[in-house]
Amino acid sequence: MVLCVNVILFLALHLLPGMKSSMVSLKNNGYDGIVIAINPSVPEDEKLIQNIKEMVTEASSYLFHATKRRVYFRNVSILIPLTWKSKSEYLKPKQESYDKADVIVAHPYLEYGDDPYTLQYGQCGEKGQYIHFTPNFLLSNNLLFYGSRGRVFVHEWAHLRWGVFDEYNEHRPFYISSQNTIEATRCSTLLTGSNVVLKKCQQGSCITKPCRRDSQTGLYEAKCTFLPEKSQTARESIMFMQSFDSVTEFCTAETHNAEAPNLQNRMCNHRSTWDVIMTSDDFRTASPMTGRNLPPHPIFSLIKSKQRVVCLVLDKSGSMNSEDRLFRMNQAAEIYLVQIIEKGSLAGMVTFESFATIQNNLIEITNENASQRITANLPQVANGGTSICSGLKAGFQVITLSDQSISGSEIVLLTDGEDDKISSCFDEVKQSGAIIHTIALGPSAAKELETLSNMTGGHRFFAHKDINGLIDAFSRISSGSGSITQQAIQLESKALNMTARKWIIGTVPVDSTIGNDTFFVVTWTIQKPEILLQDPKGKKYKTSDFREDELNIRSARLRIPGIAETGTWTYSLLNNHDNFQMLTVTVTTRARNPTTPPVIVNSHMSQNTAHYPSPMIVYARVSQGFLPVLGINVTAIIETEDGHQVTLELWDNGAGADIVKNDGIYSRYFTHYRGNGRYSLKVHAQARKNIARLSLRRQNKALYIPGYIDNGKIILNPPRPDVKDDMAEAEVEDFSRLTSGGSFTVSGAPPSGDNTRVFPPNKITDLEAKFKEDHIQLSWTAPGNVLDEGKAKSYIIRISKYLLDLKEDFHNATLVNTSSLIPEEAGSIENFEFKQKLLKIENGTKLYIAIQAINEANLISEMSNIAQATKLIPPQALTALGTKSSGIRLAILGLAVVLSIF
């Protein structure tokens, strides 16, 4: 008997927050804690601040009415970059930072335009990462083709806060409706307009021609454009065309266009945007405000970024003697202070056992000598108990003794021990405003560490036995200032179990965007190995060129003079000891110049805590500037507390956990639970053989309106910057990047790691269908036996002439014989062709098709997206007719077009 999965349980993951922290809260109908951050590269401009205020003020009123008097913007902070001049009205930051901002203002990379968009790659109902506005969008007055800035902000806020999607589709601008009309992809269909081909426009006058229909697809030709009427009566929808005065609402269940081939329907199972919004955490408790009074205007605070302040708070208790933990901590801390922390930062250090000791007050990191003033005091002996609160309080003291504010400063807390008194300082920590990054070393580290990170907006990490976990954690703790070109980039972090008297060879590509401040570091557990390093031009560096640390922490470092050569570097290591030992190689660098951003990788899990049997999703975003990087190999390594590792290849194929193909977001489900406790995530991204490329496409953005019709006259908006292709012509060079995605906690999981009887195949989201003569051809991406891993056992395919019948009663729709269909490996492209005999098919007939997958445990996936196939018999001659309508009707007995006038 086939078992059904409890869909609510299975989808519980998608309603939980991701790793991106935000300070936004909703109380008494007002949003507080919104942060709008200006990138340090943006020139100082008072008009920019003024326009931001005007945009948010307008947006607050628009949002209030759009949500039926439920929410508005009450308190907004504008984060001024450190590069701007100081002013008396600028306040000091608390925990606000550029990398945690809800809205960022930054120049685009490569002039691909000023489209406002939201970085959004979670499932339906999941919050986005941030909204991106360009300075030109906020300052220019000729960008009216998006509508007013306040309306655009609300469109993007719905992406960011409530996880809804766009209701247009630039790649499928038209579709054939159930009423046999060709419709513009939109919501709602009450928005009127004309479908025309623009041939020539001069001095406000345009020559147009009617849209011709493609005899193969039944849709309009590629150059056909839907131009809306300027005067509208429809109030929906903000997620389609917020620019029109009449549009003041989101599509509801009554007005939603469930047929439109847009991302909202595909990702949210054809639910309306208002339905998704009303099930969000915000609206479960937000009732409409009573009375007729409007909410007050937003209150703005101008906050100026400050010099970075970091204090290391390091455990030197007795338990740090085991498994070389003290050595490994010192190795990683030295790499952080010498190679990772940004120049100009203030850094100090505290060590603790049963009590805390201040080792260094704050020192400005101007060069390597300044860093070594701190590393010289790294602890050499471990003993005593574990008092984490003592360490934190001493860290606060280090900051205040240098006349710095604890609020907004960072503490890096590393410990391997338990402490039953850690909760005694939670209130003090929370009130301090400090950001606490925690590194749990080994399985016995205090379970409350994550609470410290969560309550202060800090990162959380877990490191097992080898040094790399610690180095990866420290390397991830970079400045949140937005100055990407100043941040350290990790190119390699490899642990090597070396047998006696054996060589090992490895390579590291250095691309032309990086090479400044480049370090190669080798660590060992017993005896220093023989080291040979060769640059792309053949220059060799030997063991004697690597400087061994004076603290005897078993590490040797080479800083490449000047700018590292572009190309492939080769390293060779010889374990010249009689026994095997662990060697590690770490390579870090920075951007070559401030004008060309390097490729960077950011990774995280979909949630901080997993309660078995909820699946999780691994995300890795690969970008250069703000442009997605495509066609590369991205691998996630997830490690448990007992050292067991799971390796996952992440995909950008628009299937399974990945919502959009080719957007630079690489994703995969994680289900390999192996007991409870902490798990760590590391991601390695590599481009080889010149196959990587940049994409100029943007998802989840305000719709550009090419023009509109006013009293029968076509009015065109200014054109967007010309982008010749979806892809930039220049390929991305070979590169290698490595980053930590932090840690997450698992509870309720069995120790065996068996997941075959818990998780069904993943939902198919890219089903496509078309008629080929009397047959129907289907294609989709194969799901797995367990979500997106392995092979499904079989498929269930059902068809109907009616969309709602299939959507609401899939199990009673007509069944297709799939006995000859053998599932392929997950991620493969499936193709299936069949001849429908049970339903009468004639010219103009539309069939709706959906599919489910079954695995070996007889668990069934969710129903797929619903694909549509329309039977069209090409006529002998095609007569072009005028097309001023919301759509054209397809005659059942031929392809004649019936004109429908509004």
Side-chain angles (χ1 to χ4, degrees):
M1 179 180 177
V2 176
L3 301 176
C4 284
V5 174
N6 186 324
V7 175
I8 294 177
L9 175 63
F10 178 69
L11 288 180
L13 155 70
H14 306 318
L15 300 178
L16 294 173
M19 293 286 284
K20 171 83 162 53
S21 59
S22 171
M23 300 177 67
V24 177
S25 62
L26 178 64
K27 185 178 181 181
N28 296 329
N29 301 97
Y31 283 114
D32 298 320
I34 300 164
V35 177
I36 300 175
I38 302 172
N39 190 278
S41 65
V42 175
E44 186 166 358
D45 192 330
E46 283 292 332
K47 184 65 175 176
L48 185 62
I49 296 176
Q50 183 60 35
N51 284 5
I52 290 173
K53 291 180 177 179
E54 291 176 1
M55 174 183 70
V56 177
T57 301
E58 179 196 0
S60 182
S61 176
Y62 187 56
L63 180 70
F64 183 68
H65 292 291
T67 58
K68 307 182 191 328
R69 301 180 61 87
R70 282 176 172 81
V71 294
Y72 65 96
F73 299 128
R74 182 163 47 215
N75 288 293
V76 179
S77 297
I78 301 175
L79 187 63
I80 309 299
L82 190 60
T83 51
W84 289 24
K85 295 178 182 177
S86 296
K87 294 185 177 181
S88 58
E89 63 263 35
Y90 292 166
L91 305 175
K92 291 183 179 180
K94 296 180 180 177
Q95 292 175 341
E96 299 89 352
S97 66
Y98 181 90
D99 65 345
K100 295 177 186 175
D102 307 288
V103 181
I104 60 173
V105 179
H107 293 294
Y109 174 57
L110 300 181
E111 294 301 322
Y112 63 85
D114 295 287
D115 286 342
Y117 71 92
T118 301
L119 181 63
Q120 176 187 13
Y121 47 83
Q123 305 293 308
C124 181
E126 284 189 3
K127 292 180 175 65
Q129 303 298 302
Y130 59 74
I131 298 168
H132 179 193
F133 294 128
T134 67
N136 193 40
F137 170 79
L138 291 169
L139 292 171
S140 176
N141 291 322
N142 64 353
L143 298 181
L144 298 179
F145 40 66
Y146 301 105
S148 68
R149 283 187 276 262
R151 286 171 170 254
V152 170
F153 188 29
V154 172
H155 176 100
E156 300 306 329
W157 183 261
H159 284 309
L160 178 76
R161 187 68 184 177
W162 304 314
V164 297
F165 297 89
D166 288 321
E167 292 175 321
Y168 63 89
N169 188 336
E170 290 181 324
H171 302 288
R172 294 187 63 183
F174 297 97
Y175 70 98
I176 300 174
S177 76
S178 59
Q179 302 301 313
N180 284 328
T181 59
I182 299 180
E183 296 285 351
T185 302
R186 65 199 192 281
C187 189
S188 73
T189 55
L190 297 177
L191 283 162
T192 60
S194 294
N195 307 310
V196 298
V197 175
L198 301 173
K199 295 190 68 177
K200 188 177 182 181
C201 294
Q202 287 182 339
Q203 297 178 351
S205 176
C206 292
I207 298 175
T208 66
K209 71 172 185 177
C211 296
R212 297 175 66 89
R213 198 176 68 252
D214 186 303
S215 62
Q216 298 299 315
T217 66
L219 296 172
Y220 290 133
E221 58 189 295
K223 294 182 179 180
C224 185
T225 301
F226 173 74
L227 294 181
E229 299 279 356
K230 184 176 182 180
S231 177
Q232 300 277 352
T233 58
R235 295 192 298 271
E236 305 85 8
S237 166
I238 291 170
M239 300 314 293
F240 170 63
M241 196 175 289
Q242 75 290 327
S243 58
F244 280 83
D245 292 342
S246 70
V247 174
T248 57
E249 298 179 4
F250 296 96
C251 269
T252 64
E254 291 74 25
T255 58
H256 177 61
N257 180 7
E259 293 184 329
N262 55 37
L263 200 57
Q264 173 64 24
N265 279 328
R266 181 165 76 85
M267 292 306 303
C268 298
N269 294 324
H270 301 267
R271 296 164 62 201
S272 71
T273 53
W274 185 246
D275 182 29
V276 175
I277 291 169
M278 285 299 292
T279 57
S280 68
D281 290 338
D282 288 351
F283 284 16
R284 287 174 187 158
T285 56
S287 300
M289 291 178 63
T290 58
R292 295 186 177 182
N293 292 335
L294 296 177
H297 287 330
I299 298 172
F300 295 94
S301 301
L302 301 182
I303 299 172
K304 190 171 187 293
S305 299
K306 68 173 187 176
Q307 185 178 20
R308 191 182 186 198
V309 176
V310 182
C311 184
L312 304 186
V313 177
L314 307 178
D315 188 350
K316 62 177 290 289
S317 61
S319 57
M320 291 290 288
N321 278 318
S322 63
E323 299 178 339
D324 264 350
R325 288 176 183 166
L326 192 71
F327 273 105
R328 291 190 287 126
M329 178 184 74
N330 289 345
Q331 288 171 336
E334 185 197 40
I335 287 174
Y336 178 71
L337 291 166
V338 175
Q339 301 172 216
I340 306 300
I341 194 169
E342 293 81 5
K343 297 297 184 289
S345 300
L346 296 173
M349 184 171 67
V350 166
T351 57
F352 68 92
E353 45 180 287
S354 303
F355 55 90
T357 303
I358 295 176
Q359 301 292 349
N360 293 88
N361 287 318
L362 295 181
I363 297 172
E364 185 170 8
I365 305 299
T366 55
N367 52 40
E368 193 170 335
N369 290 334
S371 300
Q372 289 174 348
R373 288 171 59 190
I374 303 177
T375 60
N377 293 324
L378 286 167
Q380 301 300 299
V381 178
N383 51 49
T386 304
S387 177
I388 292 172
C389 284
S390 296
L392 291 174
K393 292 177 181 180
F396 295 159
Q397 189 178 359
V398 165
I399 296 169
T400 55
L401 285 174
S402 298
D403 295 325
Q404 296 294 318
S405 171
I406 298 175
S407 183
S409 297
E410 299 169 72
I411 299 286
V412 180
L413 170 65
L414 185 153
T415 182
D416 76 332
E418 298 179 357
D419 181 357
D420 58 6
K421 297 181 180 179
I422 187 173
S423 61
S424 65
C425 59
F426 279 0
D427 287 342
E428 182 178 350
V429 167
K430 192 171 184 179
Q431 294 299 320
S432 73
I435 300 166
I436 313 291
H437 309 295
T438 59
I439 304 175
L441 179 55
S444 300
K447 305 304 179 186
E448 298 86 355
L449 288 179
E450 283 75 15
T451 304
L452 287 169
S453 295
N454 294 342
M455 73 167 59
T456 63
H459 295 298
R460 43 189 282 180
F461 303 95
F462 164 68
H464 189 52
K465 291 185 177 181
D466 64 69
I467 176 62
N468 291 81
L470 282 177
I471 294 175
D472 299 342
F474 273 109
S475 297
R476 180 69 178 81
I477 305 173
S478 58
S479 167
S481 68
S483 297
I484 301 298
T485 55
Q486 296 180 16
Q487 296 178 11
I489 297 170
Q490 196 170 6
L491 306 184
E492 182 68 282
S493 176
K494 185 171 289 185
L496 307 165
N497 271 311
M498 297 280 290
T499 56
R501 309 297 175 180
K502 293 292 183 180
W503 282 94
I504 193 165
I505 300 175
T507 60
V508 179
V510 174
D511 58 271
S512 63
T513 67
I514 57 175
N516 189 23
D517 204 25
T518 303
F519 289 88
F520 284 78
V521 179
V522 177
T523 71
W524 57 91
T525 53
I526 302 175
Q527 181 175 320
K528 186 178 182 179
E530 193 73 22
I531 308 170
L532 180 63
L533 177 66
Q534 182 172 299
D535 77 6
K537 290 187 174 180
K539 182 178 180 179
K540 295 182 179 180
Y541 300 88
K542 299 180 180 180
T543 308
S544 57
D545 296 313
F546 283 72
R547 190 174 74 184
E548 189 170 350
D549 192 274
E550 297 176 358
L551 294 176
N552 189 31
I553 56 175
R554 305 170 195 159
S555 70
R557 172 182 290 102
L558 171 67
R559 180 176 185 174
I560 304 301
I563 302 295
E565 289 287 347
T566 298
T568 300
W569 289 66
T570 303
Y571 62 85
S572 303
L573 302 177
L574 169 65
N575 177 17
N576 48 24
H577 194 263
D578 292 333
N579 296 314
F580 83 91
Q581 65 171 328
M582 177 74 75
L583 306 180
T584 72
V585 179
T586 301
V587 184
T588 63
T589 188
R590 298 183 200 272
R592 183 170 298 239
N593 63 68
T595 60
T596 304
V599 173
I600 59 171
V601 180
N602 288 297
S603 66
H604 68 268
M605 302 297 293
S606 56
Q607 51 195 122
N608 285 328
T609 303
H611 301 284
Y612 187 84
S614 292
M616 299 184 76
I617 298 176
V618 188
Y619 292 116
R621 176 168 56 95
V622 187
S623 60
Q624 183 174 12
F626 293 99
L627 295 181
V629 180
L630 314 181
I632 63 175
N633 296 322
V634 182
T635 303
I637 301 115
I638 297 172
E639 186 174 22
T640 66
E641 284 188 353
D642 63 3
H644 177 75
Q645 289 188 346
V646 174
T647 301
L648 289 175
E649 180 185 353
L650 306 187
W651 297 336
D652 186 15
N653 61 355
D658 192 66
I659 67 171
V660 176
K661 184 177 182 178
N662 288 337
D663 65 348
I665 311 299
Y666 297 77
S667 317
R668 199 76 185 274
Y669 283 107
F670 172 70
T671 60
H672 289 270
Y673 296 118
R674 188 183 172 94
N676 300 326
R678 296 182 174 105
Y679 290 56
S680 66
L681 167 66
K682 178 168 67 175
V683 167
H684 192 195
Q686 288 182 299
R688 300 289 189 185
K689 300 180 181 179
N690 295 319
I691 61 171
R693 59 200 189 279
L694 293 179
S695 170
L696 299 182
R697 288 186 296 177
R698 277 291 172 210
Q699 304 288 338
N700 311 315
K701 59 185 175 66
L703 177 62
Y704 160 73
I705 307 299
Y708 54 90
I709 298 172
D710 189 9
N711 293 322
K713 184 178 179 181
I714 293 176
I715 309 296
L716 291 185
N717 284 320
R720 285 190 297 183
D722 183 35
V723 177
K724 294 181 180 179
D725 199 333
D726 282 342
M727 304 299 169
E729 294 180 2
E731 296 176 335
V732 178
E733 302 167 71
D734 289 356
F735 67 83
S736 176
R737 301 288 189 270
L738 190 140
T739 186
S740 170
S743 66
F744 60 98
T745 307
V746 173
S747 61
S752 64
D754 180 20
N755 56 16
T756 58
R757 297 188 176 278
V758 177
F759 301 110
N762 65 263
K763 174 184 174 180
I764 296 165
T765 58
D766 60 351
L767 179 65
E768 297 284 346
K770 65 180 180 180
F771 271 98
K772 183 181 180 182
E773 297 177 349
D774 292 333
H775 289 74
I776 299 173
Q777 293 179 329
L778 304 180
S779 65
W780 67 92
T781 302
N785 183 57
V786 177
L787 293 175
D788 56 11
E789 185 174 13
K791 289 183 184 180
K793 184 178 71 172
S794 60
Y795 291 113
I796 302 171
I797 300 176
R798 294 184 182 273
I799 63 175
S800 175
K801 288 187 175 182
Y802 306 101
L803 174 67
L804 288 180
D805 286 356
L806 196 64
K807 178 177 177 286
E808 298 176 0
D809 196 12
F810 174 81
H811 298 290
N812 287 322
T814 302
L815 185 66
V816 174
N817 185 349
T818 58
S819 58
S820 63
L821 178 55
I822 308 300
E824 298 286 341
E825 193 75 22
S828 303
I829 300 300
E830 297 270 31
N831 294 290
F832 181 62
E833 184 175 300
F834 65 95
K835 186 174 183 179
Q836 173 52 41
K837 299 179 181 179
L838 298 178
L839 299 177
K840 184 179 179 181
I841 306 297
E842 54 189 2
N843 190 40
T845 295
K846 282 174 300 304
L847 291 181
Y848 298 94
I849 304 105
I851 186 170
Q852 288 181 316
I854 307 174
N855 68 6
E856 293 176 353
N858 287 332
L859 298 176
I860 309 177
S861 71
E862 290 182 76
M863 185 184 76
S864 71
N865 65 297
I866 299 174
Q868 180 198 89
T870 303
K871 177 66 174 178
L872 297 173
I873 302 174
Q876 295 299 318
L878 182 63
T879 303
L881 297 179
T883 58
K884 183 176 181 182
S885 63
S886 65
I888 63 173
R889 180 168 298 279
L890 305 178
I892 295 299
L893 298 178
L895 281 182
V897 177
V898 178
L899 187 64
S900 175
I901 304 294
F902 283 115

